[in-house]
Amino acid sequence: FMPPAKKAKSPYDAGRDAYDWTKHLYDMQPEHRDAHRALGAAALQGRMYKEAREHLNTGMDFKLLARLEHEETGNQLKAREYLELAAEHPADARWVCRSCGHSAFDWQGLCPRCGAFDQLGWMTPSLEVHDPKIQPALAGGAIIEPPQGIKTGVMP
């Protein structure tokens, strides 16, 4: 007696599993922009185009909307419009050194560029700052607090 062979998951099934798992996280913070972005990305992976479009529009993830447009309709013109919106959209918040302006996706005690201690702050980097000695907060980068309940030591 042999047990039935396990069927390998199709990309749709794997994407659907990712969507279901991400939906549980989304339900904890449904009003948060990043929750919409994550759920939209999972829906896109599972080829759930209607759900992906809804959440990616709400999360303003124009790069993934371009990919969605390319995959779903093949409309290259619309995909290009989304990419142009992504280029014009302000940068996402990240860890930025207040001493030299270096930006990083994860927090560190010492700035990897200038070695300043405890100078990384969670803020939106300013694209207009060219002089690394100007503090981004003074040059237009907005300092924001991390979302409530999010660990700030590690960022994906």
Side-chain angles (χ1 to χ4, degrees):
F1 174 71
M2 296 272 303
K6 291 186 178 181
K7 178 183 162 191
K9 285 191 174 189
S10 72
Y12 173 79
D13 293 335
R16 181 64 189 200
D17 289 347
Y19 178 83
D20 291 340
W21 182 81
T22 307
K23 178 82 168 90
H24 291 294
L25 296 175
Y26 167 83
D27 289 339
M28 292 181 208
Q29 293 274 337
E31 70 286 345
H32 198 278
R33 181 180 142 204
D34 288 338
H36 284 283
R37 294 171 90 174
L39 193 58
L44 181 58
Q45 179 184 353
R47 297 186 179 106
M48 302 165 57
Y49 297 125
K50 180 182 175 195
E51 292 86 352
R53 187 173 305 280
E54 174 187 332
H55 290 288
L56 294 174
N57 273 323
T58 304
M60 295 186 297
D61 192 328
F62 300 116
K63 288 181 183 176
L64 285 182
L65 279 166
R67 186 172 136 210
L68 169 68
E69 201 63 48
H70 177 72
E71 285 184 21
E72 183 183 24
T73 66
N75 186 340
Q76 297 299 324
L77 185 59
K78 187 68 175 174
R80 182 180 174 109
E81 288 176 16
Y82 280 127
L83 289 175
E84 288 173 1
L85 282 172
E88 296 170 2
H89 197 70
D92 290 336
R94 61 187 62 159
W95 297 104
V96 178
C97 178
R98 291 182 190 95
S99 295
C100 72
H102 176 73
S103 67
F105 289 103
D106 54 349
W107 184 88
Q108 300 173 30
L110 297 175
C111 174
R113 179 187 288 161
C114 70
F117 176 69
D118 197 24
Q119 290 298 305
L120 292 182
W122 187 252
M123 62 184 77
T124 304
S126 173
L127 298 177
E128 292 82 33
V129 177
H130 298 292
D131 183 358
K133 300 202 185 295
I134 298 175
Q135 291 186 9
L138 298 176
I143 297 175
I144 58 175
E145 292 298 319
Q148 202 172 30
I150 301 294
K151 291 184 180 180
T152 58
V154 176
M155 185 173 165

